[in-house]
Amino acid sequence: MADSIKVQGWCPTAWKPMRSEDGWIVRVRPVCASISAAQWAALAAWALSLAHPQIELTRLGNVQLRGVADADLPALLAQLVAARLIPADADADLAPPVHCTPFYETHDRTHQLAMLLGRAVVERLCPSVLERQGMAALPSKFGLLVDDAARSLCGVASDLRVWADAGGGYGLALGDAADWYRFGDVQQLVDAAIHMATWFARARMAVSGKPPTRLPALLSSLPLDTLLQDAVRQGAQPPAPAPVLPGPLAQGWVLGVPLGRIDALAMQALAASLAADTEIRVTPWRSLLLMSADAPSCIARLDAQHWMTDAADARLRVSACTGSPRCAQAHVPAQDMALQLASHVPERGHLHVSGCAKFCALSSDATSLIFASPSATDGVWLHAGSAGQPDRPRGQFPYRAGSALPAELHTLLHDLPL
């Protein structure tokens, strides 16, 4: 990355995207899950000109461009800063993420809480601030989540979860702990969340061996009486709700995309049909919430090859890793295989296809699994079975590139227990 490119004090050598086999992965964390149609149009244009022609959605509600070449990275980062899609301050970008429910009204209590917590995290938990206090930066896996009053994101993993409840108070839950805590004041809640994150940053440094990366690992030693003195302990958290599927909602329309990957040309067409300031929010279910009163007519014009608008779409039952040719370790085109097999997955099932035995991006919803491995004769084997027992496949089939998938796979997928 070139040192010469600077935007408002921001230097690309300090900003740290991720590297993969097929180039740089550049991550965008939408503020309050929201990206405007104009920003989506820009992302699509950059995907077509500087990256792979797909935009990836993650299970935490992030957006990614991948396959960015070394020579193109500085220009892309500078344009993302100019579009207000990533912070100009690299230190702020390295602060813990604050993921947000897409289900809120602008300026309501949930939105206000998310904005307040987001600012506090940048001001009090970014690496430079922790370093001045003698602490290392918080791990990249550590994160906070702002839920809605209905607790729609209760099934999404997070170290600290906060929300504005329907009774005018505020709630806080710690990792996957059974109980939660209620605050009467939003600032008390935000301060408690920051203090717990700071405590974790310091406490993990005292652990012998490899420091833990998530709060639940040290939950038993958390000084709750001190950190939560302004809160009232409550009962058990509600069970995790089912994922929100494509279809109409009171706020708009949830749009699914096959395998969580948006075709850049399809996004350009969608964005061009909307007013520039229309919100298209990102959900943690690798889908989008189109916030438009004109959503039904807009949905009717979409290309079904690239968008899923119906909860019954069979492509919702599959997931896959990047696969070949983009991953050098993959033996098969996992994404293409998953889409070919989608119609053979039972309605209550979920198939994950992995290009190798590492099981990258294995979905927690998966009930069945297909993965590839090399054979002794330079061929490739497909192994199929239950996702809960990846080391005990129920069937093994030879794979030949360009040939139809073995018909036995279809039968096996129906026979596996859900």
Side-chain angles (χ1 to χ4, degrees), residues 216-303:
L218 298 180
L219 206 55
S220 61
S221 57
L222 192 65
L224 298 179
D225 291 343
T226 301
L227 296 174
L228 296 173
Q229 58 183 343
D230 296 318
V232 178
R233 188 171 181 171
Q234 305 293 311
Q237 299 187 59
V244 176
L245 298 175
L249 293 178
Q251 293 171 297
W253 201 293
V254 175
L255 282 174
V257 288
L259 304 176
R261 290 158 172 94
I262 305 170
D263 179 84
L265 285 173
M267 175 51 80
Q268 277 192 325
L270 172 60
S273 71
L274 302 168
D277 60 351
T278 302
E279 285 188 85
I280 306 177
R281 294 180 185 169
V282 185
T283 84
W285 303 287
R286 305 180 81 185
S287 59
L288 303 174
L289 175 59
L290 176 58
M291 304 284 292
S292 172
D294 192 37
S297 61
C298 179
I299 295 301
R301 298 191 296 268
L302 294 179
D303 185 343

Side-chain angles (χ1 to χ4, degrees), residues 106-117:
T106 303
H107 304 311
D108 70 4
R109 292 172 64 240
T110 298
H111 188 206
Q112 292 175 22
L113 170 59
M115 296 297 290
L116 185 62
L117 181 62

Side-chain angles (χ1 to χ4, degrees), residues 40 55-59 62-63 257 260 262 282 286-288:
W40 278 111
I55 304 169
E56 295 185 348
L57 304 179
T58 77
R59 291 188 179 89
N62 293 332
V63 177
V257 288
I262 305 170
V282 185
R286 305 180 81 185
S287 59
L288 303 174

